Amino acid sequence: MPIKELMTTYPKESVIIIAFLVTLITTLITKKYTNQNRMKELKQVQKACQIKLKDNVGNPAKMAEIQKEMMACSIELLKHSFKPMFFTMIPLLILFWWIRGIYSPIFSSWIWWYIGVGIISSIILRKLLKVA
């Protein structure tokens, strides 16, 4: 049975499988092409800054300094997260274009199923694969 026929025969199941597989692949690419140790360090710095912000609520100068440090961490995290996006952006756009052509006439809510499964599987896979 061709894959397109399977997808139209079992639309919900196939969206779940596709969403999980795409999330798995993008998570593995993210793990491979990002410096996980540095990303974990940056997230710890951000958590520490959030605690410092709460402790210095009455001191605007100190809060501005802490926010500046948090912004620097956020920018560096963003730079790290863009690297895997270069590898996944075009293939994902092509995949969505193809999937939309298959599901739109028969399963209009496919995108919501995809997003839901993608979010849930991303949370699970990031924990299992220890991706920052």
Side-chain angles (χ1 to χ4, degrees):
M1 186 179 271
I3 193 160
K4 195 171 180 180
E5 192 175 320
L6 276 171
M7 291 170 69
T8 55
T9 305
Y10 305 102
K12 289 179 183 175
E13 294 84 353
S14 61
V15 167
I16 290 170
I17 291 168
I18 290 168
F20 179 79
L21 290 175
V22 167
T23 305
L24 175 64
I25 291 167
T26 56
T27 303
L28 291 172
I29 289 171
T30 299
K31 184 172 178 142
K32 179 167 177 54
Y33 290 102
T34 56
N35 183 343
Q36 293 296 302
N37 292 328
R38 181 65 181 146
M39 290 184 75
K40 287 176 185 175
E41 288 172 14
L42 290 169
K43 287 183 180 185
Q44 288 174 348
V45 169
Q46 281 187 324
K47 284 181 185 178
C49 286
Q50 287 173 348
I51 293 168
K52 288 180 195 175
L53 275 176
K54 288 179 186 176
D55 293 341
N56 292 292
V57 171
N59 187 346
K62 186 70 173 170
M63 287 181 70
E65 182 183 319
I66 296 167
Q67 287 174 337
K68 186 177 178 181
E69 185 181 352
M70 282 182 72
M71 184 62 79
C73 285
S74 295
I75 290 170
E76 190 174 343
L77 272 170
L78 193 62
K79 285 179 185 177
H80 283 286
S81 64
F82 273 133
K83 193 184 288 186
M85 191 171 65
F86 291 122
F87 296 104
T88 58
M89 179 77 87
I90 302 283
L92 285 177
L93 289 173
I94 293 168
L95 178 72
F96 279 118
W97 175 75
W98 180 67
I99 289 174
R100 188 189 60 158
I102 293 172
Y103 290 129
S104 290
I106 59 165
F107 183 41
S108 60
S109 63
W110 72 271
I111 190 70
W112 297 111
W113 278 81
Y114 182 91
I115 291 170
V117 172
I119 290 170
I120 292 167
S121 58
S122 177
I123 292 168
I124 293 168
L125 288 170
R126 284 179 173 272
K127 293 267 188 217
L128 289 174
L129 298 172
K130 297 179 176 122
V131 176

